[in-house]
Each structure stands twice: as structure tokens, then as C-alpha cells.
Amino acid sequence: MKPVVALVGRPNVGKSTLFNRITRSRNALVDNFPGVTRDRHYGEAIWEDVKFSVVDTGGFLSSDKDEFSPLIRAQVLQAIEDANAIVVVFDGKSGVSPYDKELLDILRNVSQPVFYVVNKIDGFEREVNLFEFYALGIDTIYPVSAEHNYGVPDFLDELVKVFPCKTKDSRNEVVSDEAIKIAVVGRPNVGKSSLINRLLGEERLLVSEVPGTTRDAIDSLCYRGNKSYLLIDTAGIRRKSKVDEKIEKFSIIKSLKAMDRCDVALVVLDINEGITEQDIHIAGYAFERGCGCIFLLNKWDMIEKDRKAAKLLLDDLRYKAKFLNFAPAISISAKTGLRVDSVLGKVEEVYTQYAKRIGTGRLNKLFEQATQDKEPSMYQGKRLKFYYAAQVATKPPAFVAFVNVPEGVHFSYERYLVNQIREAFGLKHTPIRLMFRERSSRTPKK
């Protein structure tokens, strides 16, 4: 296992900026408004050929500060317990805070090495601001500017020295590229974080009844046997007319980007509110991005015994989301665990189809038989002729069919051909893209 480094400190000291600097990414949301980060946010870093994981945490406050404070505090304490090294980040501009002292009291009892970093020190002349931090009883302080990279390389040099080992094996350890990437998406407060916590078997993500609790796209690795899954928790996506905070707009952008990099999107619905227009919009985002898609009807324990209501709900989903008629639907309860164990099995099934490649010979035999069984209609006095077909991509499966008049293929005939592909090759649960091209002189005949 790679060493784990936890970044802790009170709100708005620059933990997320330092996280982005160390991981060389922009994965953590950054804003001057305190409390932007709430969950533990994991990233990968490498320094001097040593690979390690970095955990960004929410701002540490007293338990009674606001509704989220005790939940964030619990996440911070869990990150400290799990880490191999702890980095306390102070604010070099605003100076020492009572919350800094409270956090230090907690860290005096930990066994892991602790590094003390004073951020927002933009140059040597600003290091005079370090003196009041030495009064906390700290022997070694690292002045840095996460925004401008001042002092960060020197700090990282010292950080990697404390890791248990720097063997060839630990340096070369990487997260498997074979992990299936799963984005968990939906409206605010439908149970996305609760579902991921249930799949992980731990309270990794902060859960609250307050909409908008999750603000970042949080990655978590999950293992089942020899299979690995990257679970991406996302911020709830509200209608544009309802979004007025800048930080929420950034959160929604990151949620949409999460669908760009996922293989399968789990669209979580709250059945207590029925199938809403926004649920369908979110499913449409996944469809437009070519994701595999699974509907999860959450909080099913509320109506499980009412078969009539359950059937009406499923019928309503299929009617409103006709464009995703291939997407399976599972009724679950993240709270009780009802059928949650079946979710990853269904993800595996969808992903297998999503990444499937069809041999050219088999594909052309299908097209030949399909066009014989049901001839395409005439177009402007011309009979359509299909010459050749080939698969050009996977994730999702994409096919090109060469035809004499591409614009003459009616959408109903296109749907017929797609359905033939689904049935013949077992692709009933994946999106399929079928394109038509005019045959050039270089295009081989069927």
C-alpha cells in the first residue's frame, strides 16, 4: 500500500490549494469562502520517484459551530487515524487561531509523524509571520505558499523521508487502470453519499439531510474479490434556475465532468418524490456523454410492500426516460442495504457490454441478414444499399455502416438495425452509436 498523507487544519487556510499543488491537479474545489471542502478528498502524488496518497479534509472547527461541524470533525479525525503522516496547515496571514490550538492538542497523542506548514508565506520577507506559531511549542515549521509553490519542494523533500520504505515495489505501485469508473449522480439529497458509504462498508463520505452537503467529486476505490471499482461521488445537480451560489455552479460543473470520465453512471432517484423532470435531465446528461447507465430507485423500503405503487413508479420512469430504455433499473435502499449488494454485479454486466468488441465478419453477416429480412425504404427514387459495416470504437460500442445514400436512412430503420445489433451480440444494456457514411472508392465491398 502507498503511504497516506492527511492534510488537516481549520477552514480557509489553503489545504485544498496545497492538495492541488502536491497532486499537480485541480481536483479539489478552491474558494475564499470557508467550508468549501467537507468530505475527505483523495488524490495521488509522486515526489522524487516516491508515490503516495494525499487526503484533503474539511476545515476543523468546534463541534457546535454549525450543523456540519461535528460531521466534518469526525471525517478529519478518521483521516488522522488512517494516515501514515499528518500535515497541519496554518494560515500565515491571519495568524494563530483557537481552533489551531485545539487541533494541536489532539495531535499531541498521535503516533504518526506530524508536519507543521504555515501557508500564504509568499517569500522570504514574509517569514517573519512564523514567530507566533513557534509559540505553540512547535520545533520545526515549513513556510510555504501553495499558490505560488514557494517552499513546497523543500517541504516535500522532508515529507517523503518519513515514509516506512522507499523500495522499488512501493515506488512502482499504481492504481489499476482496469478499475471500472462509476459516477454516482442525481439531484441533491437523494442518497448518493449514503449509497457509496454502504458499498464501501464505512462512513467515508459526509451524509446529512441538508441538500448540497457534497460539493466536490470525491473518488473512492472499492474492491470486490479481484475486481476494483472507482466510485465517484458527485454534488447534487439542481435546475439552473435554482443555482445562485458560485461554489455550487463549480460543483455542478465537476459533477458533469465526472460523467465525462466514468464508464457507468448510477442515476440515483428518490422515490418519495417520484420521477421528476430534473431526474430525467440528469439521465440525459449521462446519455449525451455515452455513459453506461443504471437507474437506482432509492428509499424503496418506504413502498416495498405496495406493489401497485411500485409498478406505477417503474412505468413512469420508462415512459419519461424512453431514450434510456436499455438502462436497467434496480430498486434499493441505501439506508437499510436493500439490494445494494446487487449494484456492482449489475455494473459489471453493463460494463462488459459497454467495452465489447464485435468481429467485422460477424457484424457484416448480421447486416446482410437484417437488410434482407427488412429491406430499407426508397429515398428519392433510389433503393438504399448497405455495402459494409465495421466497429470503430468501444465504451460505448460505435459502428459505421457504409451506404450509397447515408441521408436516406430513416430513423426508424436505424432503430431497427440497432435493435438487431443488441439482440445478436448481447448488448441490451449499453448505449450504441450507429453512424452512416457514403462509400468511397477505397471502401471495401461487403
Side-chain angles (χ1 to χ4, degrees), residues 48-68:
E48 296 296 336
D49 294 330
V50 180
K51 294 183 178 179
F52 55 99
S53 298
V54 186
V55 185
D56 186 19
T57 64
F60 182 88
L61 291 172
S62 297
S63 298
D64 58 353
K65 186 67 176 176
D66 61 32
E67 182 171 359
F68 290 109

Side-chain angles (χ1 to χ4, degrees), residues 274-288:
I275 309 301
T276 70
E277 183 180 352
Q278 184 63 5
D279 290 328
I280 304 306
H281 280 314
I282 293 169
Y285 293 141
F287 178 73
E288 290 169 3

Side-chain angles (χ1 to χ4, degrees), residues 117-152:
V117 169
V118 178
N119 191 29
K120 305 180 186 179
I121 304 296
D122 300 334
F124 179 76
E125 67 281 359
R126 296 284 184 108
E127 293 192 16
V128 67
N129 295 347
L130 302 180
F131 293 128
E132 66 174 305
F133 292 97
Y134 281 109
L136 295 173
I138 302 171
D139 294 329
T140 304
I141 293 177
Y142 298 91
V144 305
S145 170
E147 185 175 356
H148 301 108
N149 203 34
Y150 177 81
V152 175

